[in-house]
């Protein structure tokens, strides 16, 4: 079910008491100087059994020259604090909060490595709710408070302070179950240029496509006036396939067609011995036709693959 109007509580901590509960707040950004940043605050486990919970940050900042600053860490549940009314998350000295019209992220890795980012949304958010079994209370939420936003920030690293500007994204996810037991695979990605934003996702079970979604945002578009925003549980609206150099993405809908070639640039994050979760920064080129208007696409794409079967979209 699509969610087309978000409330502050949607981006708060949901503090769910389920044996396999999981929740995370994700951000990424591409700066105008070609630096890249992505990661999340996350926790999962049974909150009635603190020793079973995992609380971690996996943020990474990658300079355009290839230098990598890893802000990742694990902490005790007792050092995690968050509001249940709005977005305000604290993990030891790290924090993410919504103040007025902006989101503020602060990360520290020791006293001499510090990152501060301000993210201001350019359009309203949206989300999706999927119910696996209402009788068992099994569900998953994916909300996007910042589909496209302006980022400004600075990083203090190796005795130097670097400032930057760019384009950013933020989403928030939570579920009452172990997603690996319900999701066989997923793809997610976003193309964020100064004048255009495209977000897409596809989630699969063992037997079928659970849901797909796509949002297209043009520069200057505000409120819910997206060029295109749709979710579909029955008819796939996008297809992604392996190519010798990366992948190809095709989206076809009445009045909408997108074709994009994706050339893998760098693997920025992976988790699991089987490489079952990978996040890439890639170069993309293609075109979008919508409502009789055609747009050329040529820029960077941030995307990820999660595969728990032989359907390895992200396999390289």
């Amino acid at each position: 079910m699509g969610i087309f109007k978000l409330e502050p509580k949607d981006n708060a901590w949901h503090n769910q008491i389920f044996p396999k509960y999981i929740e995370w707040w994700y951000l990424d950004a591409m700066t105008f100087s070609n630096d890249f940043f992505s990661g999340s605050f996350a926790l999962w486990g049974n909150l009635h059994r603190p020793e079973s919970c995992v609380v971690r940050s996996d943020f990474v900042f990658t300079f355009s020259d290839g230098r990598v600053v890893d802000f990742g860490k694990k902490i005790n549940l007792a050092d995690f604090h968050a509001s249940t009314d709005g977005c305000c998350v604290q993990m030891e000295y790290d924090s993410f909060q919504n103040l007025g019209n902006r989101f503020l992220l602060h990360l520290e890795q020791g006293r001499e490595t510090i990152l501060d980012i301000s993210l201001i949304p350019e359009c309203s958010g949206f989300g999706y709710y999927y119910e696996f079994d209402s009788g068992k209370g099994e569900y998953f939420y994916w909300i996007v408070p910042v589909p496209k936003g302006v980022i400004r920030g600075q990083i203090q690293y190796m005795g130097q302070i670097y400032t930057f500007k760019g384009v950013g994204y933020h989403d928030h996810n939570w579920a009452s179950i172990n997603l690996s037991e319900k999701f066989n695979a997923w793809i997610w990605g976003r193309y964020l240029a100064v004048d255009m934003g495209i977000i897409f996702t596809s989630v699969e079970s063992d037997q079928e496509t659970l849901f797909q979604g796509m949002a297209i945002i043009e520069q200057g578009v505000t409120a819910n006036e997206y060029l295109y925003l749709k979710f579909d549980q029955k008819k796939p609206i996008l297809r992604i396939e392996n190519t010798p150099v990366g992948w190809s993405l095709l989206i076809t809908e009445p009045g909408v067609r997108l074709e994009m070639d994706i050339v893998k640039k760098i693997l920025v994050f992976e988790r699991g011995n089987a490489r079952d979760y990978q996040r890439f920064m890639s170069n993309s080129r293609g075109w979008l036709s919508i409502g009789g208007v055609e747009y050329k696409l040529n820029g960077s794409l941030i995307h990820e693959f999660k595969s728990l079967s032989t359907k390895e979209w992200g396999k390289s």
Side-chain angles (χ1 to χ4, degrees), residues 144-205:
V144 187
V146 188
K148 182 174 182 285
V150 176
I151 64 131
R152 290 180 173 85
Q154 68 175 37
I155 181 169
Q156 178 180 318
Y157 178 64
M158 299 294 288
Q160 301 288 322
I161 295 178
Y162 304 86
T163 60
F164 52 82
K165 298 179 181 179
V167 184
Y169 167 93
H170 160 50
D171 69 23
H172 179 190
N173 308 261
W174 67 98
S176 63
I177 42 85
N178 184 339
L179 295 180
S180 297
E181 297 176 1
K182 299 293 183 178
F183 291 173
N184 208 39
W186 78 62
I187 60 172
W188 165 91
R190 70 166 185 85
Y191 169 91
L192 288 190
V194 173
D195 60 345
M196 174 69 65
I198 300 171
I199 301 165
F200 59 88
T201 190
S202 179
V203 178
E204 308 278 334
S205 71

Side-chain angles (χ1 to χ4, degrees), residues 209 212 230-238 252-254:
T209 297
Q212 294 190 334
K230 181 175 182 180
F231 299 97
D232 204 313
Q233 289 184 219
K234 298 180 180 179
K235 184 177 75 68
I237 59 176
L238 66 88
T252 55
E253 276 286 282

